Amino acid sequence: MRPADLITAWERGLRRSPAGRAQALLEAAGVDRADGLALTVGQRDALLMDLRAELFGTRISGVAGCPACATVLELGFVLDDVRTVSPEPAPGPVEVTIEVDGYAVRARPPTGGDLVALEGAGPDRALRTLLTCCVVDAHHGGVTVGPDDLPPRVVSRLAGRLAAADPQADVRLDLTCPACARTWSAAFDIVTFLWRELDSWARRLAQDVHTLATAYGWAEVDIIAMSRSRRGLYLELARR
Ligand SMILES: [Zn+2]
């Protein structure tokens, strides 16, 4: 991917929710907008893992704090360790059907597009809005019911089934504290992780552009288009 496309994706995602950022990154990677929005969250995240591997490699390093004693653990793994699905999108929508307390519900897992649509919804409306997106049809005693009328027990069971149908959407790391032996499960969110890396990269690049434009008067577009090694060479000279 060209650095110019990546910096454009960064700019587009700056004021967006994580879902909007994920979509901006997919589009920069050449994924058609409508196709990207139609991917389930897990399929989308698998593609973002591919993109991360292309940009920064497959090794992930990070830290996590023990919830019991606050000891900081250093984490290291490769993306393949947390892959649960093939990066190829499934051929069609994966639907699940549940029958609970006389309710029969057919639904599909949330897509990246659903989460983008939630950007404007407050946290109190988010779950209900998501249900409206995901429920294909619901009946009780042969009568059609709306997603808003499903009881909490049915919604909870449905959420569990949908999560199981799209496991890549929720990556969990099983951790054990070396100090107190507490075990817990920590979430690894590729969108947040990759965005943070991209943000650091963009800010470093801006610093380089500033240094070279000040020293040589070159245009931003030309500096960004330069290979990393050539830019590094001029930076070294400019700082002398
Ligand atoms: Zn601990």
Side-chain angles (χ1 to χ4, degrees):
M1 184 188 301
R2 294 183 318 138
D5 295 333
L6 201 53
I7 203 96
T8 302
W10 172 77
E11 204 178 356
R12 278 194 189 140
L14 259 184
R15 270 168 264 288
R16 301 286 304 275
S17 68
R21 291 172 174 178
Q23 181 62 21
L25 287 169
L26 288 182
E27 287 175 34
V31 176
D32 174 78
R33 179 171 165 77
D35 290 350
L37 291 171
L39 294 173
T40 68
V41 174
Q43 291 165 344
R44 178 200 75 178
D45 286 1
L47 286 181
L48 290 175
M49 286 183 189
D50 289 346
L51 178 62
R52 199 285 180 171
E54 185 192 326
L55 295 174
F56 304 114
T58 58
R59 177 148 284 281
I60 301 284
S61 303
V63 291
C66 169
C69 74
T71 293
V72 175
L73 277 72
E74 289 196 4
L75 308 177
F77 57 91
V78 291
L79 287 172
D80 278 349
D81 293 345
V82 294
R83 275 189 196 277
T84 54
V85 294
S86 147
E88 295 302 317
V94 187
E95 285 184 359
V96 302
T97 309
I98 60 156
E99 287 186 23
V100 184
D101 299 342
Y103 286 85
V105 185
R106 196 155 60 96
R108 55 150 183 82
T111 62
D114 295 337
L115 300 189
V116 168
L118 288 187
E119 274 185 322
D124 49 327
R125 286 297 306 158
L127 175 65
R128 288 291 161 185
T129 309
L130 198 55
L131 270 179
T132 306
C133 294
C134 296
V135 171
V136 179
D137 53 49
H139 297 92
H140 185 249
V143 179
T144 301
V145 289
D148 271 348
D149 299 323
L150 295 174
R153 231 171 82 87
V154 177
V155 172
S156 161
R157 184 77 66 85
L158 182 63
R161 283 293 304 278
L162 290 175
D166 192 27
Q168 190 70 73
D170 187 23
V171 172
R172 294 268 152 193
L173 306 170
D174 294 325
L175 304 178
T176 305
C177 176
C180 74
R182 165 77 175 259
T183 59
W184 77 101
S185 154
F188 170 70
D189 177 24
I190 184 66
V191 178
T192 310
F193 193 89
L194 178 55
W195 185 263
R196 204 177 298 143
E197 288 181 316
L198 184 67
D199 191 60
S200 307
W201 170 86
R203 288 172 200 282
R204 281 197 308 274
L205 184 64
Q207 181 61 53
D208 293 353
V209 168
H210 169 74
T211 305
L212 293 179
T214 307
Y216 299 106
W218 293 336
E220 183 204 45
V221 62
D222 296 329
I223 297 170
I224 288 178
M226 260 179 209
S227 73
R228 212 171 135 187
S229 49
R230 201 193 298 185
R231 197 162 55 230
L233 188 66
Y234 285 119
L235 279 169
E236 219 173 274
L237 292 169
R239 286 177 183 139
R240 274 189 187 168

